């Protein structure tokens, strides 16, 4: 049988194509999105803080076109309503139904404590913003990293400044009656009294207290009032101090939540002269913070406060960790290790690193409310660099003592 040259070439070409097809590698499957769980509060007295937390996360993702380390981000937001049982239910849903790779939040210390065992058992990396002390102290959760602070971490330097630089001697402490309030008051009391001051009165108010008049009428003679309120409660008590004619009777100092940027314009003149210890101020002069403040002001018509900043900086730490593992967030052990080992030199709050328990080491700022160019601002008057959760105390000795609470350290100077 004679062979037609055209048929031979066609056959050869077909064989060549078939052979080449065998050599083409299979298409590499593209990784799915990074599934980021977010626990916040959208109702109740803590809702003002919870809504700001959401602004921080959304601003971070917007600036990066919803991408981290080259991977799209799928954000799953859950409203805890500031309720421990609901926080636990929502956390389980994020992990078991949505399969999130990491969780940011929750807000309140009692919420963090409610999900502590589930975070451990599910081995879910958790960038908490709750201040619950023992999660990074005597009962450290190996899956928790905190880029904001413990409840008392800013209270320590605030007390140091109040006693040594403001020369205050007698303090009244008032705060919300839950773990966060107890812990941040305890931290203030310990350092203030170690520096020679006296806490002569401690008052804890219900989280949902509609009015503080009953408590203000109980105030003893003092030159210092420390407030450890959270959410919108800081605004309420500062206003009522003025309404009851008490402003100027003592110097008002606070923890990192009550005298917040998001509340300053509403506080108005009532807030002027108040001091607070915090790891953030909207007035911080660095490129990351300037861009952050401008974005929040543009999108939400407010100045960002600590609640927005704490979720934003948590996202900054997450981004650093995800980049360091090449985006492979499905490896939970690797992601968790990278979060704990993260060193981020240029966050909106400045440089941060983490101790062996997963708690942040970073700057704490003493802020004073001033009016500048017709606007109320938290001006930084002093920076305490590289503050750890143990302040200047020796870590081993610190951990031998009970966790900060209503009753520890003992109140020896109450009147």
């Amino acid at each position: 049988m004679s062979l037609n040259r055209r048929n031979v070439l066609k056959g050869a070409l077909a064989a060549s194509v078939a052979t080449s097809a065998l050599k083409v590698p299979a298409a590499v499957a593209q990784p799915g999105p990074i599934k980021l769980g977010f626990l916040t509060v959208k109702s109740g007295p803590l809702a003002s803080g919870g809504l700001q937390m959401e602004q921080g996360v959304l601003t971070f993702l917007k600036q990066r076109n919803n991408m981290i380390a080259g991977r799209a981000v799928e954000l799953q937001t859950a409203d805890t309503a500031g309720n421990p049982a609901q926080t636990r239910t929502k956390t389980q849903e994020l992990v078991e139904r949505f399969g999130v790779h990491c969780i940011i939040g929750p807000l309140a210390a009692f919420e963090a404590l409610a999900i502590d065992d589930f975070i451990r058992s599910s081995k879910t990396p958790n960038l908490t913003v709750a201040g619950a002390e023992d999660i990074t102290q005597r009962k450290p959760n190996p899956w928790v990293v905190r880029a904001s602070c413990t409840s008392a971490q800013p209270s320590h330097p605030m007390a140091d400044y109040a006693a040594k630089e403001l020369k205050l001697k007698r303090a009244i402490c008032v705060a919300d009656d839950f773990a966060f309030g107890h812990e941040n008051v305890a931290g203030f009391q310990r350092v203030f009294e170690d520096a020679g001051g006296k806490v002569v009165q401690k008052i804890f108010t219900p989280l949902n207290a509609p009015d503080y008049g009953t408590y203000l009428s109980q105030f003893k003679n003092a030159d210092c009032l420390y407030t450890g309120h959270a959410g919108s409660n800081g605004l309420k008590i500062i206003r009522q101090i003025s309404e009851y004619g008490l402003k100027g009777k003592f110097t008002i100092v606070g923890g990192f939540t009550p005298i917040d940027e998001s509340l300053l314009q509403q506080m108005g003149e009532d807030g002027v002269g108040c001091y607070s210890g915090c790891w953030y101020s909207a007035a911080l002069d660095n490129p990351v913070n300037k861009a952050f403040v401008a974005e929040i002001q543009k999108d939400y018509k407010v100045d960002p406060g600590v609640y927005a900043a704490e979720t934003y900086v948590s996202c900054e730490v997450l981004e650093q960790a995800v980049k360091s593992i090449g985006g492979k967030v499905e490896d939970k052990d690797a992601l968790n290790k990278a979060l704990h080992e993260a060193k981020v030199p240029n966050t909106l709050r400045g440089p941060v690193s983490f101790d062996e328990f997963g708690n942040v080491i970073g700057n704490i700022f003493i802020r004073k409310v001033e009016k500048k160019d017709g606007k109320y601002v938290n001006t930084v008057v002093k920076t305490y660099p590289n503050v750890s959760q143990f302040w200047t105390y020796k870590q081993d000795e610190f951990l031998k003592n009970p966790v900060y609470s209503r009753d520890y350290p003992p109140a020896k100077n109450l009147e």
Side-chain angles (χ1 to χ4, degrees):
M1 181 179 66
S2 63
L3 295 175
N4 183 289
R5 185 171 181 271
R6 182 176 294 178
N7 289 338
V8 170
L9 289 174
K10 286 170 67 178
L13 182 60
S16 174
V17 170
T19 303
S20 299
L22 291 174
K23 293 179 181 178
V24 174
V28 177
Q30 293 299 311
I34 295 173
K35 296 180 181 180
L36 179 59
F38 176 45
L39 295 166
T40 190
V41 183
K42 294 191 175 185
S43 54
L46 299 178
S48 63
L51 293 172
Q52 292 167 54
M53 285 171 60
E54 188 171 44
Q55 292 170 8
V57 171
L58 294 178
T59 298
F60 180 89
L61 293 176
K62 177 187 174 184
Q63 289 177 338
R64 287 154 178 80
N65 296 316
N66 226 52
M67 304 282 286
I68 291 179
R71 292 183 62 174
V73 177
E74 181 180 290
L75 183 67
Q76 293 287 348
T77 300
D79 178 14
T80 67
N83 179 287
Q86 183 162 320
T87 304
R88 186 178 178 88
T89 299
K90 293 295 184 179
T91 304
Q92 288 179 286
E93 184 178 33
L94 288 175
V95 174
E96 296 171 356
R97 179 181 172 189
F98 295 109
V100 298
H101 299 116
C102 180
I103 291 175
I104 291 177
L107 169 57
F110 56 78
E111 294 179 305
L113 295 170
I115 65 171
D116 182 48
D117 62 336
F118 180 77
I119 292 295
R120 291 173 190 264
S121 63
S122 65
K123 298 184 177 181
T124 303
N126 179 202
L127 282 155
T128 191
V129 300
E133 304 262 322
D134 250 3
I135 287 178
T136 60
Q137 290 181 9
R138 293 155 199 81
K139 303 173 184 177
N141 186 325
W143 293 90
V144 167
V145 169
R146 180 163 41 212
S148 49
C149 62
T150 68
S151 304
Q153 201 164 349
S155 304
H156 292 148
M158 183 68 258
D160 183 80
Y161 187 85
K164 295 179 180 178
E165 302 203 30
L166 297 179
K167 308 298 183 184
L168 302 173
K169 301 296 184 184
R170 291 167 53 85
I172 300 166
C173 292
V174 57
D176 294 308
D177 194 6
F178 70 111
F180 172 74
H182 304 158
E183 291 174 355
N184 80 66
V185 162
F188 178 86
Q189 176 192 326
R190 182 178 185 182
V191 174
F192 188 70
E193 295 194 331
D194 283 352
K198 292 183 178 180
V199 171
V200 298
Q201 191 173 24
K202 291 201 295 186
I203 298 173
F204 293 105
T205 57
L207 188 58
N208 292 298
D211 183 89
Y212 294 112
T214 302
Y215 306 99
L216 299 183
S217 66
Q218 299 174 27
F219 283 1
K220 297 184 182 297
N221 180 43
D223 58 5
C224 174
L225 176 75
Y226 176 84
T227 167
H229 290 90
S232 58
N233 288 345
L235 169 63
K236 284 163 56 180
I237 195 163
I238 296 296
R239 271 185 175 172
Q240 287 199 289
I241 285 169
S242 184
E243 290 169 0
Y244 277 72
L246 295 175
K247 188 178 180 188
K249 302 288 186 183
F250 36 64
T251 299
I252 299 174
V253 302
F256 65 98
T257 52
I259 306 165
D260 191 62
E261 273 86 354
S262 63
L263 304 172
L264 285 186
Q265 308 316 312
Q266 294 168 268
M267 284 184 187
E269 289 296 314
D270 295 341
V272 172
C274 293
Y275 292 86
S276 56
C278 189
W279 52 265
Y280 177 72
S281 168
L284 291 179
D285 187 11
N286 68 64
V288 177
N289 188 52
K290 285 183 175 180
F292 170 67
V293 171
E295 200 79 46
I296 292 284
Q297 289 174 336
K298 181 180 72 173
D299 289 347
Y300 303 104
K301 315 305 178 190
V302 296
D303 292 330
V306 70
Y307 296 102
E310 63 190 0
T311 52
Y312 189 96
V313 76
S314 294
C315 287
E316 290 183 288
V317 172
L318 176 62
E319 180 178 51
Q320 172 85 359
V322 173
K323 285 181 177 178
S324 74
I325 60 172
K328 298 175 182 177
V329 295
E330 289 78 11
D331 186 340
K332 293 196 296 184
D333 290 307
L335 176 58
N336 188 50
K337 184 173 185 288
L339 288 170
H340 280 78
E341 294 177 353
K343 292 180 175 63
V344 194
N346 298 308
T347 75
L348 84 172
R349 63 172 289 182
V352 300
S353 60
F354 297 90
D355 63 24
E356 64 185 283
F357 303 107
N359 194 73
V360 70
I361 299 170
N363 298 337
I364 300 292
F365 309 100
I366 303 300
R367 315 175 308 175
K368 183 180 181 181
V369 180
E370 297 178 342
K371 190 174 185 179
K372 293 184 176 180
D373 300 322
K375 186 176 182 178
Y376 301 97
V377 296
N378 269 323
T379 301
V380 175
V381 296
K382 185 179 175 87
T383 300
Y384 287 82
N386 299 317
V387 176
S388 85
Q389 62 179 327
F390 304 112
W391 181 229
T392 58
Y393 302 110
K394 292 182 179 179
Q395 178 178 307
D396 291 346
E397 293 178 6
F398 190 103
L399 294 174
K400 287 178 184 176
N401 292 316
V403 67
Y404 286 154
S405 66
R406 259 177 165 266
D407 303 314
Y408 186 84
K412 299 178 181 178
N413 297 294
L414 298 185
E415 297 177 359

